[in-house]
Amino acid sequence: MTEFTSTQIQLAARPHGWPTADDFRTVEVVHGDLEPGQVRVRNEFVSVDPYMRGRMNDTRSYVAPYAIGGTITGGAVGRVVESAAPEVPVGAVVLHQHGWTDTVQADAATFRVLPEIPGMPLSLHLHVLGMTGLTAYVGLTTIAGLREGDTVFVSGAAGAVGTAVGQIAKLLGAKRVIGSAGSAEKVKLLTEKYGYDAAFNYKDGDVRGQLAAAAPEGIDVYFDNVGGDHLEAALAAFNDGGRAALCGAIAMYNTTDRVPGPDNLANIITRGLTLKGFTLASYLHVAPEFQEKMTPWFSGGKIAYDETIVDGIENTVDAFLDMMRGANTGKMLVRV
Amino acid sequence: MTEFTSTQIQLAARPHGWPTADDFRTVEVVHGDLEPGQVRVRNEFVSVDPYMRGRMNDTRSYVAPYAIGGTITGGAVGRVVESAAPEVPVGAVVLHQHGWTDTVQADAATFRVLPEIPGMPLSLHLHVLGMTGLTAYVGLTTIAGLREGDTVFVSGAAGAVGTAVGQIAKLLGAKRVIGSAGSAEKVKLLTEKYGYDAAFNYKDGDVRGQLAAAAPEGIDVYFDNVGGDHLEAALAAFNDGGRAALCGAIAMYNTTDRVPGPDNLANIITRGLTLKGFTLASYLHVAPEFQEKMTPWFSGGKIAYDETIVDGIENTVDAFLDMMRGANTGKMLVRV
């Protein structure tokens, strides 16, 4: 056993509006010998996700805010390099929530050993086969009550969750899936790779008009990753009895002004709509059902995915900021 | 059989913003002899309701808009004065939807014969024992999923639906019920007569602050009759997993400008809230369950109510406008 040093990214200050590099600091943490029951893990991939922006604020939510001076926690996969816990042996691939660090030393119980499937990149456990895929599945099923024949609208459709939502919606029997994204290239990808029946670039403006044109018969389900003008457009396009799963509001995460909501909330009454917000922490019990569905879909080649990979733990903050700006297609990851 | 004339109130023009007397016209309609299967009913009470304002607009909703030149339809109770249908005999008390008219002649199937209970005013079939009570019950149970021990907030609490909501919530096991109304007198009535644990006057301003003070432990259920700043205050006060039944948005009915929604919709996500809108037409199947609960409550003296009664069918428009301005306490009715 030897002392070793890990490189970790900590929150230095609560961002006001858009985060900057100054809101974070990179520190070297020196660890002592393993205690009994602990393992040491060298990360291979670290996840950067939109929800992390919310945790940087000191506001009430299901999940506690990040502490100033604490390491940014979140999903990561790595390999055990040293073990004082027989159930998590050296060489095992593990999933954990220790976040933005190149190496982590902690109780074995905080790691989940993953099966290694030849040819399957470990990074997938951080998106289509992991939390991202589960988020898409829970939102469509438990939250929005997707039914066969529904028309589904997805905002932020080219992001990690959005690319999964479109495909899962079709696999579950949606008639038509419409997506919005922030570039012509992403819009093309949605229809050519991810099975979207129609897509539009919200940066072309008139989100309401573009959605109405793409969904002439209205929408039944809305999976919201964006909020703001996208939610307003969905409320205008909803058929009676429509259901919205509110998963994210990236449009609002970095604003410092109070941004008024849609002006057509009265449609919720007149059309008998249901809006339901969720964070995955409350729906982890759906994971077994998701695995049961996702495993054959994935091995049957029915799930396409993209990864935008940034190398080096020291570039994690840049990766996070790029993701918030929409620079990624599919899942944004840091390769350690 | 003889010809007779009825006095009816028709929609003359679609109101722009607040309705005025010019948007309506009073007409004398001449009816011929009854046809087989028809009855003639002399109304005793005619209902004026907030939802009617919505039907005066030409917008898509569960219910079709009122036709220009057509009589304003809605709830009314009356007595059969002539009958060509044996199942609805002369003298029977009937409930119907023929609306703003002193007398109506129509197919017997469009009338529901009511039991006459000695000492019970017929007008109650237009509120606590009728649609108003059912709306309160459906909103609390089917829509908001009220649970024992919940804290409930009701906006527009001194209106017909609001006075019913507070009492029904307590009877169904709510721990604490908080109401908002538009005068000190109404606020007093809420706590002294209608079983509200706390109430405030929204015209004193700072709805968010007043609600927070009245609900220091947060709210679990919100019954919304108002929208706007009340919905925003509720979103700020909600506990995790809170549920809102959106029943009305009287704050928005007469605006001509686009009014932005609450600026804190992101709470729907972070607190896992559910907002569900409804109009009663889709929930009439709950009526038997409601009757089963309401009949013993009412005969047990557990249901208080108020009526604000205006005399004369020719004053129906004034009664409607006064109700929209909040001049009523409890149910606003026209006595024919």
Side-chain angles (χ1 to χ4, degrees):
Chain A
M1 307 251 182
T2 51
E3 246 184 25
F4 85 104
T5 302
S6 65
T7 302
Q8 306 188 356
I9 318 289
Q10 300 184 337
L11 189 65
R14 303 216 176 275
H16 183 71
W18 279 94
T20 66
D22 292 343
D23 297 322
F24 305 90
R25 65 169 166 238
T26 304
V27 297
E28 306 289 316
V29 176
V30 179
H31 302 264
D33 285 347
L34 286 184
E35 307 205 6
Q38 285 194 325
V39 297
R40 189 173 291 167
V41 170
R42 171 128 194 96
N43 277 339
E44 303 210 354
F45 291 98
V46 166
S47 186
V48 295
D49 297 280
Y51 78 84
M52 293 174 160
R53 177 64 189 86
R55 293 193 64 191
M56 291 170 194
N57 296 333
D58 188 17
T59 51
R60 185 158 77 79
S61 177
Y62 269 105
V63 190
Y66 290 129
I68 301 281
T71 299
I72 303 283
T73 56
V77 286
R79 200 175 285 273
V80 178
V81 292
E82 204 170 320
S83 175
E87 70 278 18
V88 183
V90 170
V93 170
V94 292
L95 177 71
H96 63 87
Q97 290 291 318
H98 293 288
W100 294 4
T101 177
D102 61 348
T103 314
V104 57
Q105 178 168 322
D107 279 348
T110 63
F111 299 90
R112 185 152 70 83
V113 177
L114 296 172
E116 274 195 273
I117 298 163
M120 201 193 88
L122 293 182
S123 58
L124 298 190
H125 293 291
L126 295 175
H127 53 113
V128 286
L129 300 183
M131 292 299 190
T132 301
L134 180 57
T135 299
Y137 184 82
V138 164
L140 284 170
T141 59
T142 317
I143 306 297
L146 179 72
R147 301 172 196 143
E148 277 194 40
D150 276 349
T151 294
V152 178
F153 172 48
V154 186
S155 60
V161 171
T163 50
V165 172
Q167 299 179 81
I168 293 176
K170 294 293 274 194
L171 286 164
L172 292 174
K175 186 174 74 182
R176 186 171 168 81
V177 180
I178 298 150
S180 77
S183 76
E185 197 182 343
K186 287 180 179 178
V187 164
K188 195 161 168 247
L189 208 59
L190 288 179
T191 53
E192 292 186 354
K193 181 169 182 179
Y194 288 109
Y196 278 80
D197 298 288
F200 62 85
N201 182 351
Y202 69 85
K203 290 185 179 162
D204 292 344
D206 189 18
V207 175
R208 200 192 276 224
Q210 289 200 75
L211 175 58
E217 294 175 10
I219 65 170
D220 305 298
V221 164
Y222 173 44
F223 194 109
D224 191 8
N225 292 306
V226 173
D229 56 354
H230 281 78
L231 179 55
E232 180 171 275
L235 289 171
F238 261 126
N239 294 321
D240 290 352
R243 293 140 277 139
L246 308 192
C247 176
I250 203 163
M252 274 100 92
Y253 288 167
N254 296 305
T255 56
T256 50
D257 301 327
R258 293 170 57 139
V259 179
D263 66 0
N264 54 355
L265 291 178
N267 289 0
I268 299 173
I269 303 171
T270 53
R271 302 186 189 175
L273 308 179
T274 305
L275 272 60
K276 201 166 164 61
F278 74 112
T279 50
L280 195 56
S282 305
Y283 296 91
L284 296 176
H285 59 277
V286 184
E289 178 188 319
F290 165 68
Q291 294 298 349
E292 203 172 292
K293 291 264 170 62
M294 185 48 117
T295 304
W297 287 339
F298 185 80
S299 43
K302 289 176 178 166
I303 301 290
Y305 60 91
D306 277 292
E307 299 177 336
T308 304
I309 291 180
V310 170
D311 278 299
I313 191 75
E314 68 279 11
N315 295 317
T316 305
V317 171
D318 286 343
F320 174 70
L321 297 177
D322 282 351
M323 182 274 302
M324 292 298 292
R325 285 186 211 104
N328 57 308
T329 297
K331 177 65 182 171
M332 185 70 130
L333 292 166
V334 176
R335 184 160 42 204
V336 180
Chain B
M1 310 253 182
T2 51
E3 245 182 23
F4 85 105
T5 301
S6 65
T7 302
Q8 307 190 355
I9 318 289
Q10 300 185 337
L11 188 66
R14 304 218 174 272
H16 182 70
W18 281 93
T20 67
D22 292 344
D23 296 322
F24 305 91
R25 66 170 165 237
T26 303
V27 297
E28 307 288 315
V29 176
V30 180
H31 302 264
D33 286 348
L34 286 184
E35 307 207 5
Q38 285 193 324
V39 297
R40 188 173 291 168
V41 169
R42 172 128 193 95
N43 277 339
E44 303 210 353
F45 291 98
V46 165
S47 186
V48 294
D49 297 281
Y51 78 85
M52 292 173 160
R53 177 63 188 85
R55 293 192 62 190
M56 292 171 191
N57 296 333
D58 188 16
T59 50
R60 184 158 77 81
S61 176
Y62 269 106
V63 190
Y66 290 128
I68 301 282
T71 298
I72 303 284
T73 57
V77 285
R79 201 175 284 274
V80 178
V81 291
E82 203 171 324
S83 174
E87 70 279 17
V88 184
V90 170
V93 170
V94 292
L95 177 71
H96 62 86
Q97 291 292 318
H98 293 289
W100 294 4
T101 176
D102 61 349
T103 314
V104 57
Q105 178 167 321
D107 279 347
T110 64
F111 301 89
R112 184 153 70 85
V113 177
L114 296 173
E116 271 195 273
I117 299 165
M120 200 194 89
L122 293 183
S123 57
L124 298 191
H125 293 291
L126 294 176
H127 52 115
V128 286
L129 300 182
M131 291 299 190
T132 300
L134 181 57
T135 299
Y137 183 83
V138 164
L140 284 170
T141 59
T142 318
I143 306 297
L146 180 72
R147 300 171 196 145
E148 277 195 39
D150 276 349
T151 294
V152 178
F153 172 48
V154 186
S155 60
V161 171
T163 50
V165 171
Q167 299 179 82
I168 293 176
K170 293 292 272 192
L171 287 164
L172 291 174
K175 184 174 74 182
R176 185 173 168 80
V177 180
I178 298 148
S180 77
S183 75
E185 196 182 345
K186 288 181 179 177
V187 163
K188 197 162 168 246
L189 209 59
L190 289 179
T191 54
E192 294 186 354
K193 182 169 182 179
Y194 289 110
Y196 278 80
D197 298 287
F200 62 86
N201 182 351
Y202 70 85
K203 289 185 181 164
D204 292 344
D206 188 18
V207 175
R208 201 192 275 224
Q210 290 200 76
L211 175 58
E217 294 175 10
I219 65 170
D220 305 297
V221 164
Y222 174 44
F223 194 109
D224 191 8
N225 293 306
V226 172
D229 55 356
H230 281 76
L231 179 55
E232 181 171 273
L235 289 171
F238 261 126
N239 294 322
D240 290 352
R243 293 140 276 140
L246 308 191
C247 176
I250 203 164
M252 274 101 92
Y253 288 167
N254 296 305
T255 56
T256 51
D257 300 327
R258 291 170 59 140
V259 179
D263 65 1
N264 54 356
L265 292 178
N267 289 0
I268 299 174
I269 302 171
T270 53
R271 303 188 189 174
L273 308 178
T274 305
L275 272 60
K276 201 167 162 65
F278 74 111
T279 49
L280 195 57
S282 305
Y283 296 92
L284 296 176
H285 59 278
V286 185
E289 178 188 319
F290 165 68
Q291 294 298 347
E292 205 172 289
K293 290 266 172 60
M294 186 47 120
T295 304
W297 288 340
F298 185 80
S299 43
K302 291 178 177 166
I303 301 291
Y305 60 90
D306 278 294
E307 299 177 335
T308 303
I309 292 180
V310 170
D311 278 298
I313 192 74
E314 66 280 9
N315 295 316
T316 305
V317 170
D318 286 343
F320 174 71
L321 297 177
D322 282 350
M323 182 273 303
M324 292 297 291
R325 285 185 211 105
N328 57 308
T329 298
K331 177 65 183 173
M332 185 69 131
L333 293 166
V334 176
R335 183 158 46 205
V336 179

